[in-house]
Amino acid sequence: MSTPSISVIIPCFNEQEVISETHRRLSQVLKAGFSTYELLFIDDGSSDNTPLILNRLQKEDNCTRVITFSRNFGHQPAVSAGIQHCRGELAVIMDADLQDPPELIPEMVALLKHEQCNVVYGVRTARRGESWFKSLTAKLFYRLINRLSDVPLPLDSGDFRLIDSEVIRAFRTLPERRKYVRGLISWIGFRQVPIYFHRTERFAGSTKYPLRKMLRFARTSLLYFSHKPLRIASSFGLISVGISLAFILWIFYLWMFRPQELVHGWSSLLVAVVFFGGIQLLTIGILGEYLSSMFDELKGRPEFIIRSGHETNFEPPVEEEENAHR
Ligand code: UDP
Ligand code: MG
């Protein structure tokens, strides 16, 4: 099997209205710009005619490959399957609804070569044809996750991006199951460069991301990319203990200089409640720290990733070579 120069990964869920047009526009662009390419469609358990159309396209065009899921697993697992199974030296991830313009692909490849980088990620300068609710929540979400995340995540960037073989290889070594793809690609590192584009309206059909799926998506990204929620208890605990210490000082002052203002029993009760409340929160915070470390171990991400060609100038021992990406 020869290696195509580029793969395009397209997750599809009930996209019968757009899929033929997406195939046509992609084929047009890729035929003109690349000697070999593959279009890798992932049918995420569609219940409409998407599988039939994909089957036909696959038969008519030998640059088209299809992966079919047994049921609807979701957009992120579909993209992940695409990265696991693509054969190209480069891969583009894009939506099936033509909101990510196929015509940008040659420009992305040119930028990747020119900048000698490993990832070119699309940043949306405008979101046309989307409700104010979707635009607002997306804007807020990207800012929130960027603040909370332990790695910097680019703002206003979806999954539309071009990745090279080094990033593909690194991605395949990540064992975690609930993959927040764009976050993981940022996490993988190497050199990543933005390309700005206007996000147009969906070509046809309606959104496949209802609020329920959006919330699940947001939850995964927060859970897998931030330890901060687990640290909230520690912060509140410290504040409580601080307040109780201030109370103690204040009560001591009253006791020394204005004892007639002290109500018997009140001070000890108040200080005890606030102080022990704080201690409990701090202890929960400590549990949170252990939990986040355990979660990190469970995710099993490699400790580091080495750039190929930049290793040390001596041969690594055999076992280390096998684990070069671990
Ligand atoms: N998608 C998918 N599985 C799902 C939901 C969506 O594979 O469960 C695909 C969908 O077919 C499209 C992409 O993910 O190619 C983005 O979905 P959509 O365009 O509906 O999301 P929006 O642009 O409205 O956020
Ligand atoms: Mg869309």
Side-chain angles (χ1 to χ4, degrees), residues 79-99:
V79 174
S80 178
I83 301 177
Q84 297 293 342
H85 292 273
C86 69
R87 295 188 308 217
E89 283 161 22
L90 300 172
V92 173
I93 304 162
M94 63 178 283
D95 287 356
D97 58 0
L98 293 172
Q99 283 194 288

Side-chain angles (χ1 to χ4, degrees), residues 210-222:
L211 188 63
R212 176 177 50 84
K213 282 188 185 170
M214 266 161 63
L215 287 176
R216 191 169 63 191
F217 176 76
R219 200 177 53 213
T220 304
S221 59
L222 281 177

Side-chain angles (χ1 to χ4, degrees), residues 11 13 15 44 75 96-97 99 134 202 207-208 213:
F13 177 56
E15 298 285 9
D44 182 16
H75 176 222
D97 58 0
Q99 283 194 288
K134 180 121 189 173
R202 187 176 240 286
T207 178
K208 306 299 174 305
K213 282 188 185 170

Side-chain angles (χ1 to χ4, degrees), residues 240-241 243-251 254 262-278:
S240 281
V241 171
I243 290 175
S244 70
L245 292 179
F247 265 135
I248 291 173
L249 289 179
W250 185 51
I251 289 161
L254 288 182
L262 265 181
V263 181
H264 221 69
W266 169 86
S267 44
S268 51
L269 206 64
L270 187 77
V271 168
V273 168
V274 178
F275 182 75
F276 286 107

Side-chain angles (χ1 to χ4, degrees), residues 1 4 7-9 38-42 65-69 77-88 90-91 168 171-172:
M1 260 187 289
S7 299
V8 183
I9 296 165
E38 73 171 358
L39 301 179
L40 181 54
F41 289 91
I42 297 96
R65 287 170 63 211
V66 179
I67 292 174
T68 310
F69 280 0
V79 174
S80 178
I83 301 177
Q84 297 293 342
H85 292 273
C86 69
R87 295 188 308 217
L90 300 172
I168 296 172
F171 188 93
R172 288 177 180 165

Side-chain angles (χ1 to χ4, degrees), residues 294-322:
M294 275 162 64
F295 189 36
D296 275 349
E297 295 292 339
L298 211 66
K299 278 185 284 198
R301 288 183 197 161
E303 233 180 316
F304 48 80
I305 297 171
I306 296 177
R307 275 175 203 246
S308 63
H310 291 71
E311 297 96 343
T312 46
N313 56 359
F314 57 83
E315 289 287 310
V318 180
E319 318 88 87
E320 270 184 33
E321 205 168 28
E322 275 169 10

Side-chain angles (χ1 to χ4, degrees), residues 33-309:
F34 301 89
S35 52
T36 49
Y37 65 89
E38 73 171 358
L39 301 179
L40 181 54
F41 289 91
I42 297 96
D43 171 22
D44 182 16
S46 301
S47 52
D48 65 354
N49 284 326
T50 303
L52 294 179
I53 300 171
L54 287 179
N55 215 352
R56 178 174 57 76
L57 291 174
Q58 191 177 21
K59 279 193 191 126
E60 289 170 1
D61 171 22
N62 54 15
C63 295
T64 296
R65 287 170 63 211
V66 179
I67 292 174
T68 310
F69 280 0
S70 60
R71 65 169 175 84
N72 180 231
F73 282 96
H75 176 222
Q76 297 293 297
V79 174
S80 178
I83 301 177
Q84 297 293 342
H85 292 273
C86 69
R87 295 188 308 217
E89 283 161 22
L90 300 172
V92 173
I93 304 162
M94 63 178 283
D95 287 356
D97 58 0
L98 293 172
Q99 283 194 288
D100 307 324
E103 291 71 23
L104 203 67
I105 294 175
E107 253 177 79
M108 292 167 103
V109 174
L111 188 64
L112 184 109
K113 303 229 156 103
H114 179 255
E115 293 279 334
Q116 297 195 336
C117 58
N118 307 78
V119 176
V120 174
Y121 58 92
V123 177
R124 308 149 171 176
T125 52
R127 301 171 73 100
R128 251 177 291 152
E130 282 180 346
S131 66
W132 65 266
F133 178 74
K134 180 121 189 173
S135 301
L136 182 73
T137 47
K139 237 187 162 59
L140 287 178
F141 168 71
Y142 286 125
R143 271 137 196 92
L144 176 75
I145 177 78
N146 197 43
R147 273 195 87 89
L148 293 182
S149 162
D150 305 321
V151 281
L153 303 172
L155 293 175
D156 301 320
S157 166
D159 279 325
F160 184 37
R161 60 196 64 215
L162 171 70
I163 55 182
D164 77 349
S165 56
E166 228 167 353
V167 175
I168 296 172
R169 217 173 320 126
F171 188 93
R172 288 177 180 165
T173 66
L174 301 176
E176 67 196 76
R177 273 152 228 246
R178 271 164 69 182
K179 290 196 174 78
Y180 176 56
V181 175
R182 61 196 75 164
L184 283 172
I185 291 177
S186 291
W187 180 89
I188 285 171
F190 298 110
R191 245 174 86 66
Q192 314 210 358
V193 169
I195 190 167
Y196 296 90
F197 75 105
H198 283 270
R199 190 157 158 94
T200 47
E201 285 175 37
R202 187 176 240 286
F203 176 73
S206 58
T207 178
K208 306 299 174 305
Y209 252 103
L211 188 63
R212 176 177 50 84
K213 282 188 185 170
M214 266 161 63
L215 287 176
R216 191 169 63 191
F217 176 76
R219 200 177 53 213
T220 304
S221 59
L222 281 177
L223 202 63
Y224 277 65
F225 278 86
S226 179
H227 290 149
K228 294 203 175 78
L230 280 172
R231 301 216 165 105
I232 291 175
S234 309
S235 314
F236 282 130
L238 273 179
I239 292 171
S240 281
V241 171
I243 290 175
S244 70
L245 292 179
F247 265 135
I248 291 173
L249 289 179
W250 185 51
I251 289 161
F252 192 68
Y253 164 81
L254 288 182
W255 184 65
M256 291 282 286
F257 302 106
R258 293 145 77 177
Q260 70 284 4
E261 287 181 22
L262 265 181
V263 181
H264 221 69
W266 169 86
S267 44
S268 51
L269 206 64
L270 187 77
V271 168
V273 168
V274 178
F275 182 75
F276 286 107
I279 294 289
Q280 281 174 9
L281 282 170
L282 270 179
T283 321
I284 292 174
I286 293 172
L287 287 182
E289 292 296 328
Y290 279 98
L291 207 63
S292 65
S293 307
M294 275 162 64
F295 189 36
D296 275 349
E297 295 292 339
L298 211 66
K299 278 185 284 198
R301 288 183 197 161
E303 233 180 316
F304 48 80
I305 297 171
I306 296 177
R307 275 175 203 246
S308 63

